Amino acid sequence: MILVPALRRASVAAILFLGAGAAQASVAFHVTVTTERVNQPGVKTSLPAHTTQESDVVLGEHYLSVRDGKALAVLDFATRRRYVIDTAASTYDTYSLFDVAGFRRIEIAHRQGMAGALKAGGLQAHVTPPVYEEQALSLPAARRRNALVPHILDGAVLWSLDEQPLLRLGIAGSPVSNDDATAFAQYLRYTWGGHPLVLKMLADGKRIPAAFTLHYEEVGGKVARHFRISAMTAGAPATYTLAAYRPRPLGADAPPLESVLAQAASLPPPGPQVHPALRAEAEKLFAEEKPFEAFLTMLEDHFSTGALVEKLSPEQRQAMQECQPIHDLTRGLLAKDKEGIAAALAGVQELRKQMGADQAVLALFEGNLRAKLGQWPQATALYLQVLQAKPQMAAVYQDLGDALLAQFDAPNAWRSWDAGRAMAPSLRQFRKVNDRERGLLNDYPAFFADAKAGQPSTSRPASKTNTVGSTNLP
């Protein structure tokens, strides 16, 4: 597009909101992203200096999809789910939208910690400016008072923050509705990032730009991503269906984590017979004068069904009060200092030798103590051992999810939490993840914004029978 001199002298607002009066329904477009990387002298990296990626994007009602070769991702904002589809195999995996914002929250805190360590070590020159961490993760690193500053170029506007260039925005583009502009910003947020202020500006701009560049800075150098939007089509499919696909089957050589989570997704909630059966087993153990074993069985009942230990006879209460292993175990689990936790771990390990390594509750407690010591891989292995033997022990999915998130595996952390909540949604152990999700919704509402939430959801999760309606899925 050739700019006339008068347009080159136009105000920033006129350039940004050019053609804002027009509106379109759902849209589709092709995007070419060219990444250019310039490393600092002496930096060695396997990342190429120049790459190009082609994608097809659909901004539908309550969802958006991104197709890159044989991979297709669908983000459903009505159900807060995302689907990763292998079009060649006709299979898909399903995840929670919460895992994206959840991961980025801990990642930005991690990067701030690294920056602090570099500063303390006198390596200030290697610290990435905070605005570029925000650009990469689309999250605010801290309370920000400054605004984006524009600089008019020939045919574009360069937007900077704290004197750091973030966005070069061309004036050419296609006018769209408020909803589609918001959905376009969501596409960037989930795929390539973008500073929160940049994304808000694009969402408010009522257009999809034909060309723009996002600037980033990393520890090893600078990165520029050049976007070109083409083949813009109005009236894209408003709905989607997964009817042509099936959940990805579990491979014979699947690792334990994948096996446990795949099995959990298909398990029904514990039936009404589970609590009576476990309580009957506890009664039998009390009768055999095995109060410690009865105690562990009642804990298994609680972790599986949420049932509380109640209606103990006076004899049973006395037997538990006189059982030293119960006192030692409960006292150890309450330890907070490192030495106390280590001692409790040794005690639980000794109990497992006596009771058998397959005693599920003691294996769970060893995992919890290892987690307190930051031994996350070992804790994860123990939680998986428990769930392989007791897949309906719902509370363990909470602990497994915590361990996975501590190892930056947010997608599987939410898969684990979702599995446990599906089995026993009222279990008190899941209050923590429920609070975590409420916090993400409150702190980062843009990640969950459904541009068309005022309309009934037309999104359809997997179905082999309901295939009525248009679909963009191949």
Side-chain angles (χ1 to χ4, degrees):
M1 180 177 180
I2 300 175
L3 296 176
V4 297
L7 187 55
R8 288 202 299 266
R9 294 192 298 269
S11 68
V12 173
I15 291 176
L16 181 60
F17 299 110
L18 184 67
Q24 297 176 355
S26 302
V27 299
F29 55 86
H30 183 81
V31 58
T32 302
V33 183
T34 301
T35 298
E36 295 179 348
R37 189 179 305 273
V38 179
N39 295 321
Q40 293 180 358
V43 172
K44 295 182 180 181
T45 177
S46 60
L47 296 172
H50 184 98
T51 59
T52 299
Q53 182 170 323
E54 309 280 348
S55 301
D56 292 298
V57 179
V58 175
L59 310 178
E61 290 188 11
H62 312 287
Y63 85 97
L64 66 85
S65 70
V66 182
R67 181 159 56 88
D68 176 17
K70 295 179 181 179
L72 174 64
V74 179
L75 280 62
D76 187 329
F77 295 97
T79 62
R80 294 178 183 148
R81 306 298 297 172
R82 61 188 178 92
Y83 302 94
V84 178
I85 300 169
D86 182 339
T87 57
S90 296
T91 61
Y92 68 87
D93 292 291
T94 180
Y95 301 93
S96 171
L97 274 189
F98 283 105
D99 67 46
V100 179
F103 169 77
R104 294 190 191 183
R105 164 175 265 173
I106 62 173
E107 175 62 15
I108 201 162
H110 173 66
R111 294 188 185 191
Q112 288 174 317
M114 290 180 61
L118 289 171
K119 289 179 183 178
L123 300 173
Q124 175 69 40
H126 295 278
V127 175
T128 302
V131 293
Y132 286 118
E133 304 292 21
E134 296 172 326
Q135 176 90 326
L137 299 172
S138 301
L139 291 183
R143 194 178 187 91
R144 183 166 297 283
R145 300 184 183 277
N146 297 337
L148 291 171
V149 177
H151 178 66
I152 304 297
L153 306 175
D154 189 7
V157 180
L158 181 65
W159 295 89
S160 301
L161 185 63
D162 296 346
E163 301 182 349
Q164 305 290 344
L166 295 178
L167 169 69
R168 180 187 173 103
L169 183 63
I171 69 168
S174 302
V176 295
S177 67
N178 289 332
D179 291 347
D180 289 330
T182 299
F184 178 73
Q186 282 289 50
Y187 152 70
L188 290 177
R189 178 176 285 109
Y190 275 89
T191 53
W192 300 103
H195 194 282
L197 294 180
V198 167
L199 296 177
K200 184 180 185 307
M201 182 178 66
L202 292 173
D204 293 341
K206 297 183 180 180
R207 74 183 184 109
I208 294 178
F212 61 98
T213 298
L214 290 176
H215 296 277
Y216 309 79
E217 187 171 318
E218 303 171 351
V219 174
K222 296 185 177 182
V223 176
R225 289 197 170 96
H226 308 285
F227 295 76
R228 291 198 173 275
I229 309 296
S230 60
M232 180 79 75
T233 303
T239 64
Y240 74 90
T241 176
L242 301 178
Y245 307 100
R246 60 193 172 96
R248 181 170 58 86
L250 191 65
D253 57 347
L257 174 61
E258 187 59 32
S259 298
V260 164
L261 294 181
Q263 176 180 250
S266 63
L267 283 176
Q273 77 284 355
V274 175
H275 169 58
L278 286 169
R279 188 52 190 266
E281 176 64 19
E283 293 290 336
K284 177 175 176 290
L285 291 166
F286 274 123
E288 295 173 355
E289 298 185 353
K290 297 178 178 178
F292 186 57
E293 289 86 339
F295 174 65
L296 295 177
T297 300
M298 289 186 291
L299 286 175
E300 180 184 339
D301 185 12
H302 172 68
F303 294 145
S304 301
T305 68
L308 300 176
V309 177
E310 55 186 0
K311 297 181 180 179
L312 294 175
S313 69
E315 294 78 14
Q316 290 171 343
R317 285 196 295 270
Q318 182 176 356
M320 291 180 64
Q321 290 169 359
E322 295 175 354
C323 181
Q324 191 60 42
I326 292 179
H327 292 294
D328 293 341
L329 177 62
T330 53
R331 183 173 56 252
L333 293 174
L334 294 174
K336 298 189 180 301
D337 61 281
K338 188 174 181 180
E339 292 75 15
I341 296 169
L345 175 60
V348 170
Q349 289 173 323
E350 182 60 33
L351 286 172
R352 291 189 69 200
K353 290 180 182 178
Q354 299 171 18
M355 304 292 296
D358 58 349
Q359 212 297 321
V361 173
L362 290 177
L364 168 62
F365 287 156
E366 181 178 343
N368 290 344
L369 291 167
R370 288 187 178 277
K372 285 185 177 182
L373 293 171
Q375 299 174 5
W376 298 111
Q378 297 93 324
T380 300
L382 285 160
Y383 297 144
L384 291 174
Q385 176 186 327
V386 173
L387 291 171
Q388 285 172 318
K390 304 282 186 179
Q392 288 186 311
M393 204 162 158
V396 186
Y397 293 97
Q398 169 67 49
D399 297 319
L400 174 60
D402 288 349
L404 293 170
L405 189 64
Q407 297 169 86
F408 296 89
D409 187 355
N412 283 325
W414 255 274
R415 287 178 69 195
S416 185
W417 292 329
D418 286 347
R421 286 184 291 183
M423 292 181 193
S426 61
L427 208 62
R428 65 177 180 82
Q429 281 83 353
F430 293 115
R431 293 175 186 170
K432 184 167 64 172
V433 68
N434 293 336
D435 289 342
R436 185 190 298 274
E437 290 180 349
R438 279 191 288 269
L440 292 172
L441 287 168
N442 179 70
D443 296 341
Y444 312 119
F447 273 84
F448 308 98
D450 185 348
K452 307 183 184 183
Q455 307 171 24
S457 174
T458 54
S459 297
R460 297 193 302 274
S463 171
K464 294 184 178 180
T465 57
N466 186 5
T467 59
V468 177
S470 58
T471 173
N472 68 298
L473 306 187

